[in-house]
Amino acid sequence: MMLKNVISVLDENEDTLFSTIETAELIGKSKAWLERHRWAGTGIPYDKIGRTPYYRGKTLLEYITNENNDG
C-alpha cells in the first residue's frame, strides 16, 4: 500500500485497534518483525486485550510519520 494511502487510512482510524497481521500489512513489516520488537521492548507501542496485542491507529500514524522524517 502506498504511504499516502496508509496515512489516510490511519488518519481516519486513529482509535481503531489493528491486529499484528493488519499492522504488518499497513506498515510494510513482517509479523515476525513486530513480534521480535515487542519481545525486545523496542517496537511500536501496543495495547493488549487478554494475551493478544493490538496497535492503535494513532500510534501507527506517529510511527510512520517519525520513520519517514528520520531517514
Side-chain angles (χ1 to χ4, degrees):
M1 190 180 288
M2 292 185 59
L3 180 61
K4 184 177 176 182
N5 295 341
V6 171
I7 290 172
S8 177
V9 167
L10 293 174
D11 199 30
E12 293 173 7
N13 295 287
E14 285 189 348
D15 293 326
T16 301
L17 295 175
F18 293 93
S19 70
T20 300
I21 293 172
E22 292 169 326
T23 299
E25 291 174 1
L26 279 169
I27 67 170
K29 304 284 186 186
S30 68
K31 180 181 173 213
W33 185 92
L34 289 166
E35 291 168 345
R36 186 171 45 253
H37 284 276
R38 274 200 313 266
W39 179 82
T42 59
I44 303 166
Y46 62 93
D47 297 313
K48 271 187 150 181
I49 298 176
R51 297 169 78 181
T52 307
Y54 292 95
Y55 297 86
R56 290 193 183 276
K58 182 177 182 177
T59 305
L60 295 175
L61 185 59
E62 290 170 2
Y63 170 78
I64 288 173
T65 304
N66 290 337
E67 183 180 68
N68 287 312
N69 288 336
D70 288 344

